[in-house]
Amino acid sequence: MSEPKAPTPAPGDTYKGWLFKWTNYIKGYQRRWFVLSNGLLSYYRTQAEMGHTCRGTINLATANIAVEDSCNFVISNGGTQTYHLKASSEVERQRWITALELAKAKAFRMQAESDDSGDDSTPPAAGQGAGSRNSEVQSTLRTLGSKVEDLSTCNDLIAKHGSALQRSLSELEGVRLGGETSEKIRQVTERATLFRITSNAMINACRDFLALAQTHSKRWQKALQAEREQRVRLEETLEQLAKQHNHLERAFRGATVLPASQSNPAIDSKGPVSGKGDASDEDEENEFFDACEDVQEFITVPADPKYHRRSGSNVSGISSELGMDDGTTSLDEQSLASNPESPQSQELVPVRKRRTRIPDKPNYSLNLWSIMKNCIGKELSKIPMPVNFNEPLSMLQRLSEDLEYYELLDRAAKCQSSLEQMCYVAAFTVSSYSTTVHRTGKPFNPLLGETFELDRVQESGYRSLCEQVSHHPPAAAHHAISERGWTLRQEIALASKFRGKYLSIMPLGSIHCIFEKSTNHYTWKKVTTTVHNIIVGKLWIDQSGEIDVVNHKTGDRCHLKFAPYSYFSRDVARKVTGVVTDKDGKAHYVLSGTWDEKMEYSRVMQSSRGGENGADGRQKTVYQTLKAKELWRKTPLPEGAENMYYFSTLALTLNELEEGVAPTDSRRRPDQRLMEQGRWEEANAEKQRLEEKQRTVRREREREANRAASPSEEGKESADGAEEVEIASEPSETTYKTETLHGSHPPAYSMEGPYGAPVKSGHQDNYKSMWFEQLVDPVTGEPTHIYKGGYWEAKEQGNWDSCPDIF
């Protein structure tokens, strides 16, 4: 059976000659014709067989070449192929060794280049000319590179043989004239011959390299000149486009610029976007752009040029077309971008100087897996965790950090349009996650009855109170009220699961924001927080899910989507997109940004179906929008934050000791204070003491509740032992009462009448919170804890006698 034919050698890359090949012990070495070409060494019985029968071929790219003696050498690929070869002389053997080494180096490079470029695709038909030129240049560069590698190999061989020749000459100098003279002279002659052969190979490689470089020099010059001409043409085209763009800007500015009397040059540049009346600045304000697109839900494109030519009087007409309330002002380039009465425009002088640093975090090592391996599938609140995984703040303080960017609500309270107000509220919901991007530490679980107050009336116009109202499941109630016309309240219960590789935290409960002037009532829920790489790797946090911010008075809605991180996604990480719609579902604004950096809005001028098909097969909505304006931007972290648990400026002040706070305040918690001071071992011991004390108190309450339970009440209990919850069937008949900031009850709903009765406690120990009362929310219909008043009055009087001793 004949073997495959040897490849046809390319001119100049082939080496041929007779060698003796070992066959077997009977025939010994047999004379064969060997051909070295394209990194392959093939052999034939005679030269006549080259055209039809190849007796064997070995690939030098993976072969090993070894010299046995003056004439013998071995070539093996490490597998089944091994050639034992013998040359007629040492000089002939060295010629073959040199040729084989050069061919092996070249074959190895070509194989590596083939692996690297195996995924390269063919250029499109429209660019075949440029693609072919590029392919030709790449081929030439590979050839030149190959020649350079040949020169390098030859250089190594010359150095090797030159050293051998020098040694022979040195030995010859020390030889006396006699019988061994002729032998030494013969060795020197052979060394000199080998050096000459290698030098000739070097010279030939240099000659080939020079000839190839000269051949392609003119072609490269022409290609370079063509690239230069193309660059000049592109620059001219860009210049023309810039002129056309400038012309459009001027046309639009002439149509929509406000009168000088309406401009406000006094607006502080510290606001998110400047709105100065300078004409050059208005160029930037009225520029149109391609808004960031959400690949899964909708597409935004620049607005139609017809909107550029609208006159100033037509701008108000657009407001009515967009469905604004009568007599209100639309959210145009001046409205959201700047607010002369914004808190960001006014320097507030704090009454007291807050701290800007806490002790650096100690560098303690701890084996996480040894603690977590027995906790898979359990709720996080039921896992005994050392403080090594915590940060020196409680969950109540973390909840208060939602007010980090309270000025967004201050600005929203001044808005005339509910849709404009919705944009600010949506930005506020996103801003509450910005502090979590680097915060991988777990906050302390609050003790039952623990509170935290954040009194910033003199500095920022608001005061906030949180209380832990339930321990299993953990739930905290929060109430904040501002002198600038808004109230924020929420009850958040955490459902968390440890899944082995990651930790999922699902906040349950609604957040309410009520504006006093417009009586607009907004609600939304939080998204899921995921902590990745719990066991191996660097911890990192992601937020994912969807939020619907609803205005229950007007029916306006903002749908926000937090895109989960994906390694294969082309979008920016931590992306958030949203659309603000009215009660009829008509889109007015598109929101885009990231939850760890900033949020922007774009006004929708027109929307239509007809974009790309989404994952569900439906066509995406295409929104024509104006240029994006900045709503919110994250404040940079303080210097050295990486050594202070990545706390923000506000977070650094939350655990600062203050006089007059309740004895149940988180600032007074001893284990948390010890951890902040770096005394972690003492903090762990104190944490265990507090938890055991809380369990003892809870067991005592349960015993008292069982003793006080009457038979009639026991009969009302459900099958599983939990008490039934009475839900108001007609919350519309509930009477709402609101009072002022300094009154006995801040703006919160007090529920009266037959449908506003308090909800019975679901806790087995009948625990009742100190400052909050569980009622049925009249808007959502959910049982929730609402502030019932009395805390700030007790603080003014310094009377905390009713507070339990939890620490």
Side-chain angles (χ1 to χ4, degrees), residues 493-607:
L494 296 179
S496 55
K497 289 292 184 180
F498 175 57
R499 305 296 184 182
K501 292 183 179 180
Y502 62 91
L503 178 70
S504 296
I505 303 171
M506 293 78 69
L508 308 176
S510 299
I511 305 172
H512 298 252
C513 185
I514 306 101
F515 292 96
E516 180 180 353
K517 183 177 180 181
S518 62
T519 67
N520 287 330
H521 188 144
Y522 297 86
T523 63
W524 66 91
K525 296 178 182 292
K526 289 182 175 287
V527 295
T528 299
T529 300
T530 306
V531 184
H532 295 269
N533 294 341
I534 290 291
I535 303 302
V536 179
K538 183 179 180 181
L539 292 175
W540 61 279
I541 291 179
D542 193 24
Q543 311 286 351
S544 60
E546 299 181 1
I547 294 178
D548 280 314
V549 185
V550 181
N551 185 340
H552 293 274
K553 177 183 177 182
T554 63
D556 301 338
R557 182 181 297 266
C558 177
H559 181 74
L560 293 171
K561 183 171 184 179
F562 289 65
Y565 175 80
S566 173
Y567 179 80
F568 302 100
S569 176
R570 293 177 296 176
D571 287 332
V572 296
R574 310 179 185 95
K575 184 177 181 181
V576 181
T577 55
V579 180
V580 176
T581 58
D582 58 21
K583 62 180 179 180
D584 298 322
K586 182 179 179 180
H588 292 265
Y589 298 99
V590 172
L591 305 181
S592 61
T594 57
W595 54 264
D596 68 325
E597 183 180 358
K598 66 176 180 178
M599 285 297 293
E600 297 176 336
Y601 79 95
S602 305
R603 182 178 177 182
V604 176
M605 306 306 297
Q606 189 175 352
S607 63

Side-chain angles (χ1 to χ4, degrees), residues 20-177:
F20 292 91
K21 179 180 179 296
W22 175 265
T23 56
N24 52 52
Y25 286 99
I26 298 176
K27 296 183 179 180
Y29 283 96
Q30 296 294 320
R31 193 167 179 258
R32 297 289 184 261
W33 180 255
F34 280 82
V35 177
L36 176 60
S37 176
N38 293 331
L40 300 175
L41 178 65
S42 306
Y43 74 93
Y44 310 85
R45 286 184 177 177
T46 62
Q47 297 184 45
E49 284 188 349
M50 288 182 60
H52 54 82
T53 304
C54 176
R55 298 296 176 176
T57 302
I58 190 169
N59 187 356
L60 295 178
T62 58
N64 182 36
I65 304 172
V67 177
E68 291 187 335
D69 53 30
S70 59
C71 295
N72 291 24
F73 60 99
V74 179
I75 303 175
S76 174
N77 63 359
T80 58
Q81 288 181 298
T82 301
Y83 294 169
H84 294 268
L85 305 176
K86 183 170 66 174
S88 57
S89 64
E90 185 177 358
V91 173
E92 183 65 19
R93 184 215 66 186
Q94 189 57 42
R95 287 176 177 171
W96 274 102
I97 292 296
T98 302
L100 290 169
E101 292 289 355
L102 288 172
K104 177 182 178 180
K106 182 176 181 180
F108 183 79
R109 290 194 308 272
M110 293 180 65
Q111 184 179 18
E113 291 174 0
S114 176
D115 293 341
D116 292 341
S117 60
D119 296 335
D120 292 347
S121 59
T122 305
Q128 283 183 352
S132 61
R133 289 196 302 271
N134 182 60
S135 177
E136 182 180 357
V137 171
Q138 293 297 330
S139 176
T140 303
L141 290 176
R142 283 195 296 268
T143 304
L144 289 176
S146 174
K147 294 298 180 182
V148 170
E149 293 292 339
D150 291 347
L151 292 177
S152 177
T153 305
C154 289
N155 178 66
D156 295 339
L157 293 173
I158 287 176
K160 175 182 177 181
H161 296 316
S163 299
L165 179 59
Q166 184 65 37
R167 287 195 303 270
S168 298
L169 291 174
S170 299
E171 293 173 357
L172 183 61
E173 292 176 356
V175 173
R176 298 178 181 179
L177 295 177

Side-chain angles (χ1 to χ4, degrees), residues 687-697 699:
K687 183 172 181 289
Q688 293 180 6
R689 182 190 69 81
L690 290 176
E691 291 173 350
E692 182 58 34
K693 179 180 180 180
Q694 180 175 235
R695 284 189 285 268
T696 302
V697 173
R699 287 193 293 266

